[in-house]
Amino acid sequence: MSRIQSMKKYQCFIGGCWGEPASGDYFESVDPFLAKPWALIPRCDARDVDAAVAAARTAFDRGEWASMHPSRRGQLLRRLGELIARDADRLASVEVQDNGKLYAEMRGQLGYIPHWFDYFGGLADKIEGSVIPIDKPDMFTFTSHEPVGVVAAITPWNSPLLLATWKLAPALAAGCTIVVKPSEFTSASTLELMKLVDEAGFPAGVLNVVTGFGPEVGEPLTSHPGIDKIAFTGGEGSGRRVAHKAAQNFKRLTLELGGKSAQLVFPDADLDNAVKGVVSGIFAATGQTCIAGSRLLVHDSIHNEFLDKFIELASTARMGDPMSAETQVGPITTQPQYQRVLSCIEMARAEGAECVLGGKPAARPECGDGWFIEPTVFANVSNSMRIAQEEVFGPVLSVIGFREDDEAYALANDSPYGLAAGVWTNDQRRAFTAAKRLRAGTIWTNTYRAVSYMAPFGGFKNSGIGREGGQEAIQEYLETKCVWMFYGKDVSNPFVMR
Ligand code: NDP
């Protein structure tokens, strides 16, 4: 698989047209494996945001999209899915170039993304209201569900197209129009996607992309009065700022934020499977996933045996070029994130946690100049340490022992986050009890990192608001309207409530 050698220059996509940003400026997107720039991305600002919101507003308020039958909307969504499937190899390569994740992982995501467009395309013409057998005479009362309006979709750098899809597919199916703002670090694949949106035949203005930096593009977008709803995936701090902006004119809001998910390993578990599941939870995608299982809670009676097996497997992880099929752990996506992971490792050491694996940059020849960090494990962690409470977003696992099941649930829940949890047990009663007791949006039992277009995904507590995926997701892009129709003869006393 050859890497792209020449600098590629992208344009922004507003109102169905490709063009220069208002500033005329561009910034570099850097390949995390080569640590070298490979593409130029338009540096948009508030002027481009205004233009994109105006285009999305026009498309929503009048014209072809506004009057399009939902069945046709569904067809367009499915067509887009087909085009993504056709171009999956190329799009996956662009993702790897931008975010350094394994080609195998990104190709897997690209192969799966079309299912979202297929599934939500199918739902587009099944958005039904209901008739209410209302308790008033001569009154016909019904509900309809209407698109919420113009959506700002803001995405992070770790899985740009997958996480954009989680927003675009249900929002388009609902009939919304969208302005997308990808992460400054990984904008290329979203712009590539717009070529397919164009080819699929979506009317102008239905989808628009503004690229650039959080303060220059994200803030004007989230505070724009023409935006009705914000769908945001990113860190907790940015999510809080976005929520503040949304509150100014009560924009609807979906937030998919971070996590500090626990993996609970009970003594009756199949240890070999649990080892693989915990390795996958923290070292796949180099730990740069919101669902990273970054806290291992393991029963004292199997603690040492489990840790030995775990370290044995984690030590064999092959690092290197993410485009290579042999590689299992790729680089950290951004230079600032690389520094942050290293500072979290130092913080854990300073807190007294014992580093039993890794704990340093990977100085392996196959890692070249990339931002690599060795898979890292800290033992003897107390759940109150910052390393156990704060999201690292990198390949760093904290190991915490427990004696009783109740203690394990309490430790797992003692976190500001509640995105996911893994439970490893062969005892059915324990599995159901854990599923009930753990406060997180997703509970995986004897598996980890499974997601589907059919399943709702989202967080409890500081991990977010709302759900993406499954039939619940489309509700996030709809408003309910209740219509009352009086068919009686005489309007009654106007001075009392009906
Ligand atoms: P950030 O929060 O830094 O950025 C996310 C997006 O928000 C980027 O497009 C960013 O732009 C933009 N942004 C930043 N500041 C603002 C602002 N004030 N107003 C509007 N937009 C803004 O997250 P990362 O990109 O660093 O991604 C990592 C984070 O994402 C992790 O915390 C992770 O847990 C979370 N995440 C959550 C998932 C979930 O489903 N729960 C899934 C994946 C990741 P720019 O890049 O230009 O700063």
Side-chain angles (χ1 to χ4, degrees), residues 262 295 297 383 400-402 406-415:
R295 285 186 299 153
L297 308 183
N383 199 54
I400 301 164
F402 72 86
D406 281 349
E407 185 190 0
Y409 305 140
L411 284 167
N413 291 335
D414 178 17
S415 164

Side-chain angles (χ1 to χ4, degrees), residues 155-158 181 183-184 214 219 232 234-235 238 257-258 290 391 393:
T155 53
W157 44 257
N158 58 337
K181 187 242 170 278
S183 164
E184 77 201 47
E219 296 241 7
F232 172 89
S238 312
L257 306 176
C290 52
E391 185 182 45
F393 218 62

Side-chain angles (χ1 to χ4, degrees), residues 327-401:
T327 302
Q328 294 170 319
V329 177
I332 301 290
T333 297
T334 76
Q335 218 271 342
Q337 183 61 17
Y338 173 73
Q339 294 301 342
R340 169 162 165 75
V341 176
L342 290 177
S343 71
C344 287
I345 288 172
E346 286 322 305
M347 175 183 82
R349 284 204 174 94
E351 286 182 300
E354 182 192 353
C355 186
V356 292
L357 184 71
K360 56 182 189 304
R364 307 183 189 188
E366 58 273 31
C367 295
D369 293 330
W371 301 310
F372 284 85
I373 292 176
E374 291 286 349
T376 295
V377 178
F378 281 101
N380 292 326
V381 173
S382 144
N383 199 54
S384 59
M385 289 179 183
R386 285 179 62 192
I387 194 64
Q389 291 289 314
E390 296 178 13
E391 185 182 45
V392 175
F393 218 62
V396 181
L397 179 72
S398 295
V399 185
I400 301 164

